[in-house]
Amino acid sequence: MDNFISDISGQQFPSEQRILGASIRQPIFKLIKKEYPSFSKDKYIAASELTRFKETYISEFLKDESGQLSQLDQQVINSFKENKVISASLDGDNKEPVSVGDRVADKVAEFGGSWTFIISFILFLIVWIAANIFWLNNKGFDPYPFILLNLILSCVAALQAPVIMMSQNRQEDKDRERARNDYMVNLKAELEIRELHEKIDHLIIRKEQELVEVQRDQVDKLSFLLKKMEKIEEAFKNK
């Protein structure tokens, strides 16, 4: 296997890891130039060495106003460094147990915000009022103006409101967690796309170099053949 010597460390690496300085994005190239001033666009660096500078650039890019990396950004950098799928780890880490109270709150909020609850409650009110006015001749257990019914409605409203708020708080937590996961996945995708662009640029530049070398070799061979033909012609003329 062919090897090459890195221009920043002087160590040998496989030739498939060779990356030309001209194919490196300008921000990362500046980081390399800052640490190794002698490095230029016509010199070579290994892909494993370039990864360290990419991590430094990503860390600097993701730092917030306080100058520190957030926990989410650090998780994205770690997954990018270890080449892991971040969505799979998020699906496995976020399965938290749900308490009985949370399940009851969700069910109450789900039922209380449906047409089934509205229609059932209207039917309950009609039956209650009809039973006391017509069937019991307004002398039943809750005659007009239905004080007991008003008490029941007040209690239902007083209990239903906080339960619905509990469910809304849980939904906000879910939305916040979903937004957090979306941010991490989108950030990882953006970094991967940038990495892919760099690899494509590197392949294009490498192919261009190979074509230039092939052209030079062909030009040298043509020059050699022309010189040989000229010598043959001179030899025939001398005869």
Side-chain angles (χ1 to χ4, degrees):
M1 182 182 294
D2 296 334
N3 295 330
F4 81 101
I5 298 177
S6 172
D7 290 317
I8 65 172
S9 63
Q11 298 179 358
Q12 287 189 355
F13 295 92
S15 58
E16 60 267 15
Q17 288 196 21
R18 185 177 63 178
I19 296 178
L20 183 65
S23 64
I24 302 174
R25 287 193 298 122
Q26 191 63 24
I28 302 177
F29 181 82
K30 288 181 179 179
L31 287 177
I32 302 174
K33 190 78 173 175
K34 184 177 180 180
E35 188 170 344
Y36 297 94
S38 61
F39 187 76
S40 59
K41 292 188 176 182
D42 57 347
K43 294 185 177 181
Y44 294 93
I45 184 176
S48 57
E49 295 176 323
L50 182 62
T51 302
R52 177 171 65 88
F53 292 100
K54 288 180 180 179
E55 293 171 4
T56 303
Y57 168 71
I58 292 172
S59 299
E60 294 293 332
F61 178 76
L62 296 178
K63 280 185 179 178
D64 55 13
E65 296 180 355
S66 63
Q68 296 179 350
L69 283 174
S70 66
Q71 184 179 3
L72 301 183
D73 296 335
Q74 189 61 50
Q75 291 180 6
V76 173
I77 293 176
N78 291 337
S79 66
F80 183 78
K81 185 190 304 182
E82 298 171 0
N83 197 21
K84 291 183 178 179
V85 180
I86 194 169
S87 58
S89 60
L90 291 176
D91 292 338
D93 294 340
N94 293 329
K95 293 181 179 179
E96 298 180 355
V98 181
S99 64
V100 177
D102 292 335
R103 288 198 295 268
V104 171
D106 291 340
K107 292 297 182 180
V108 171
E110 181 180 357
F111 178 71
S114 63
W115 279 106
T116 303
F117 171 77
I118 295 174
I119 296 173
S120 301
F121 205 71
I122 292 175
L123 292 176
F124 170 76
L125 294 177
I126 293 174
V127 171
W128 184 287
I129 295 172
N132 282 277
I133 292 179
F134 300 105
W135 185 35
L136 300 176
N137 197 19
N138 206 24
K139 295 180 181 180
F141 55 89
D142 187 26
Y144 181 83
F146 313 112
I147 298 175
L148 180 58
L149 178 61
N150 289 326
L151 177 62
I152 294 174
L153 294 178
S154 299
C155 292
V156 170
L159 292 174
Q160 189 180 26
V163 171
I164 292 176
M165 291 179 65
M166 288 170 57
S167 180
Q168 288 178 346
N169 291 335
R170 273 181 39 77
Q171 187 62 42
E172 288 179 1
D173 292 338
K174 291 180 182 178
D175 294 339
R176 192 180 299 110
E177 185 69 18
R178 189 178 296 110
R180 169 182 174 274
N181 295 343
D182 289 342
Y183 167 77
M184 295 176 66
V185 172
N186 292 335
L187 180 58
K188 176 71 181 300
E190 180 181 354
L191 297 177
E192 292 286 355
I193 291 172
R194 290 190 178 188
E195 179 76 8
L196 182 61
H197 280 301
E198 289 180 2
K199 289 181 179 179
I200 293 175
D201 294 339
H202 169 64
L203 289 175
I204 292 174
I205 293 175
R206 190 169 182 176
K207 289 297 181 182
E208 289 177 350
Q209 290 177 342
E210 292 178 356
L211 289 174
V212 170
E213 291 176 359
V214 171
Q215 289 176 352
R216 286 178 180 175
D217 184 59
Q218 291 177 347
V219 169
D220 292 338
K221 289 181 179 179
L222 287 173
S223 299
F224 175 77
L225 291 174
L226 288 174
K227 290 179 181 180
K228 195 170 183 179
M229 291 178 63
E230 289 176 357
K231 289 181 179 180
I232 295 173
E233 288 179 357
E234 289 179 359
F236 275 112
K237 288 181 180 179
N238 293 331
K239 290 181 180 181

